[in-house]
Amino acid sequence: MTKSYSIPIFARGEIIDDPEMTYAGRFGTEFSAPDAAKYLDKLILPSRHALSELYDLSIDDIVNFLVELGHRLDLETNPHLKWALELNEAFSDMPPSLCAGSFRGIAGKNGMLSRERIEAVIDTIGREHIDQWATTTQYNGRTIGVRAIGVPTVHVIAGNAPGIATITFIRNALIRGYALVKIPSNELGAAIAIGRTLIDMDPHHPLTKSWSAAYWRGGDTGFEEKIYHPKNFDRVVAWGGKNSITHIARYLRPGLDLVMFDPKNSRAFIGREALESEDAMREAAMRLAADVGYNNQIGCANARMAFVECDEDPTSRAQLRRFGRLVFDSIQRLPAQISTPAPRISSEFAAQLDSLTMLDEEFELIGGGRDGGVILSLCDEPVDFFEDLAHRTVNIVPIKSFESALRRTTRDVQTVGIFPEHLREKLRLPLALHGVQRVTDLGYMLNYDSLTVPHDGTEALRRMATWVVSEDCSNVPELWHALLREKISA
């Protein structure tokens, strides 16, 4: 018998458990949820003045609250997170062990809600801009105060990483905004688990009342025209695929801004030094395997294609095949806490891999299926579905020089991992000019902190806030006022 799941609404400190709508999950399991349109008045702030309570809190008050929330969001002791993990087992593309690892990254010494991490997030925007009016005196004598002010924002978060809900809560809290999270169908529990934990802490706390989360199916025009409207929300922060971003864009108008983490792909640039010795091949293969396999390749920062400098002579191509085999073998040896065989593979992806058997003069497949695989291009062309590679599968493409790889690089590329490291400084500016948003060493493509560095070319905390200017004109020379008096009295 298939288990049914009920996903409530969390609305500013209140749980609404009215599961009258039923939805089909991605893998055939159904879930129920309230009709979000029925509770629209609870999901929208009663007035903008409701945010004023957040300004009675100092930034230190907010940091202390976040740290306490981190102590409580411990997977071993928090029943709400355990419920969210059970939901992920039913609806997520990510294996349960990796989902659990992601949740464990919330709490602890180096977790997302540790004091050190939160302070590092504050540094990205400047404490002076979120705790006070940062004051300067301009050339014309005016004293200018600038402050980052939080606004009501709809967050359409992605479901491929359970930590995104926590990232969203941290950012919203630090700028004192109001967040309505649209819950993704493949990660139904984290935003609600945070809300339930907030109720356990203090259901009436201003930060509890600054958080709401609900599931709704995109396409209800009457409901979404009210949600995506500047009288109710100032921003939409959208993560997700092309269809999701395109759908949201139809509602944009003056007064409603879009902060977009749109679909990206990532790749490796590997110099010819990787093929010059067995040790170098093994090192590069281990690093590439980590960048392909981490969290089972569900992230934008995972490598899906690797350009490798390689000559066309038989010896060089034999070395490339050897390198491809080493990459596959390294993927199989990745530790279970960061990568596992895929729990399931879609029939569409399996068919794409099967199609390569008819193109054996152009591509060679090593492995494939639930264990992952390496698609070795026998020319300098990638497979036409490289952006959709999944389940720890990478396309290795031989190139004569990086010039041909750069010609295939656009702003759709988020991260490029480079081997050996000395090529990074040579390639980072050309890659940046082609639209790449992050350049790092091979093996570290997934090992970074998206909370404390720009993500997808965007400093999220700065983009989420409205930057307000307060002017003191009392020291401005009298010439301007004198001119006004002269014209008015005349």
Side-chain angles (χ1 to χ4, degrees):
M1 182 178 178
T2 303
K3 185 172 180 178
S4 61
Y5 297 89
S6 177
I7 313 302
I9 285 174
F10 180 85
R12 305 186 68 236
E14 178 184 356
I15 288 290
I16 301 170
D17 199 359
D18 177 21
E20 63 178 282
M21 307 293 288
T22 300
Y23 302 96
R26 295 193 177 193
F27 307 114
T29 304
E30 292 184 341
F31 65 94
S32 57
D35 180 359
K38 182 177 174 180
Y39 297 99
L40 180 64
D41 62 328
K42 292 183 177 292
L43 297 173
I44 293 173
L45 282 177
S47 72
R48 297 301 177 99
H49 187 69
L51 291 172
S52 63
E53 290 182 337
L54 292 164
Y55 289 85
D56 295 331
L57 304 173
S58 70
I59 193 63
D60 288 332
D61 293 333
I62 293 172
V63 171
N64 290 337
F65 186 92
L66 290 172
V67 171
E68 176 60 24
L69 177 63
H71 293 326
R72 292 174 180 251
L73 286 173
D74 185 329
L75 182 60
E76 310 309 319
T77 58
N78 188 305
H80 313 310
L81 272 189
K82 291 178 180 179
W83 169 80
L85 180 60
E86 182 182 345
L87 286 168
N88 277 335
E89 292 176 2
F91 297 100
S92 176
D93 300 305
M94 189 186 291
S97 61
L98 301 184
C99 290
S102 183
F103 281 137
R104 290 191 178 97
I106 297 174
K109 181 179 179 181
N110 297 312
M112 284 189 283
L113 285 163
S114 66
R115 190 174 297 276
E116 293 76 12
R117 290 279 291 280
I118 296 166
E119 291 290 348
V121 178
I122 292 171
D123 289 343
T124 68
I125 194 170
R127 179 179 285 264
E128 69 277 12
H129 289 123
I130 54 176
D131 209 22
Q132 57 191 341
W133 296 88
T135 303
T136 58
T137 301
Q138 288 194 310
Y139 68 93
N140 56 12
R142 300 185 188 192
T143 301
I144 303 296
V146 178
R147 190 165 188 177
I149 301 294
V151 297
T153 301
V154 183
H155 294 264
V156 183
I157 66 174
N160 62 348
I164 294 176
T166 307
I167 290 172
T168 300
F169 186 83
I170 293 169
R171 288 172 173 165
N172 182 70
L174 290 176
I175 62 169
R176 300 177 175 88
Y178 170 62
L180 167 59
V181 174
K182 183 181 185 298
I183 297 172
S185 62
N186 56 337
E187 208 295 287
L188 292 162
I192 299 297
I194 290 171
R196 284 171 162 160
T197 306
L198 293 171
I199 289 175
D200 293 343
M201 292 175 67
D202 183 351
H204 304 296
H205 193 280
L207 288 175
T208 302
K209 293 162 67 177
S210 76
W211 183 252
S212 293
Y215 179 83
W216 69 85
R217 181 82 74 187
D220 183 342
T221 305
F223 172 69
E224 291 188 329
E225 283 181 344
K226 295 181 177 68
I227 288 292
Y228 301 127
H229 194 286
K231 74 176 182 180
N232 295 320
F233 292 93
D234 290 18
R235 302 270 192 283
V236 180
V237 177
W239 309 58
K242 179 180 179 181
N243 291 339
S244 175
I245 299 293
T246 302
H247 176 76
I248 293 165
R250 66 187 289 192
Y251 295 105
L252 297 181
R253 68 195 78 183
L256 184 67
D257 297 333
L258 176 63
V259 179
M260 184 167 55
F261 299 111
D262 53 348
K264 295 289 192 296
N265 65 84
S266 297
R267 56 192 60 170
F269 279 34
I270 299 175
R272 62 182 66 253
E273 297 95 326
L275 303 182
E276 290 178 350
S277 70
E278 181 72 10
D279 286 346
M281 277 197 284
R282 288 185 179 278
E283 179 70 17
M286 176 194 69
R287 291 177 177 232
L288 179 57
D291 289 338
V292 171
Y294 185 88
N295 270 359
N296 278 32
Q297 206 179 22
I298 65 170
C300 292
N302 284 104
R304 287 171 170 80
M305 181 164 56
F307 291 110
V308 181
E309 282 188 311
C310 180
D311 295 329
E312 295 180 351
D313 61 276
T315 300
S316 297
R317 292 308 169 97
Q319 290 173 320
L320 188 70
R321 284 188 170 88
R322 168 70 176 153
F323 177 67
R325 172 54 66 177
L326 287 172
V327 172
F328 177 76
D329 291 344
S330 295
I331 290 172
Q332 308 315 304
R333 291 195 292 270
L334 289 171
Q337 63 264 37
I338 70 166
S339 186
T340 70
R344 57 180 76 86
I345 290 181
S346 70
S347 57
E348 293 83 0
F349 184 69
Q352 287 175 316
L353 291 182
D354 288 342
S355 70
L356 297 178
T357 60
M358 297 181 288
L359 302 169
D360 57 1
E361 293 184 359
E362 301 174 54
F363 305 102
E364 177 181 326
L365 178 62
I366 302 171
R370 293 180 61 247
D371 290 331
V374 172
I375 301 170
L376 190 64
S377 291
L378 304 180
C379 57
D380 64 354
E381 292 292 331
V383 293
D384 58 7
F385 57 96
F386 72 88
E387 292 184 359
D388 300 323
L389 292 178
H391 314 304
R392 313 193 304 179
T393 307
V394 62
N395 183 195
I396 294 177
V397 183
I399 54 172
K400 292 181 180 179
S401 73
F402 289 123
E403 286 301 318
S404 62
L406 285 168
R407 287 195 295 271
R408 296 187 179 94
T409 301
T410 67
R411 72 168 302 277
D412 294 331
V413 178
Q414 183 210 71
T415 298
V416 172
I418 294 177
F419 182 92
E421 289 86 347
H422 72 83
L423 292 173
R424 186 183 61 254
E425 291 190 12
K426 174 184 176 182
L427 290 171
R428 63 185 177 184
L429 180 57
L431 286 167
L433 294 175
H434 280 261
V436 172
Q437 294 112 56
R438 178 170 167 255
V439 182
T440 189
D441 297 338
L442 191 68
Y444 293 87
M445 292 172 66
L446 278 295
N447 186 256
Y448 78 112
D449 187 351
S450 61
L451 261 174
T452 59
V453 299
H455 179 67
D456 282 3
T458 295
E459 287 192 313
L461 214 59
R462 289 180 173 272
R463 289 285 307 279
M464 284 171 57
T466 291
W467 292 80
V468 180
V469 175
S470 171
E471 293 185 333
D472 178 355
C473 302
S474 59
N475 292 324
V476 175
E478 283 294 312
L479 179 62
W480 172 248
H481 290 161
L483 178 64
L484 286 176
R485 292 190 192 99
E486 177 185 338
K487 295 296 183 181
I488 291 171
S489 61

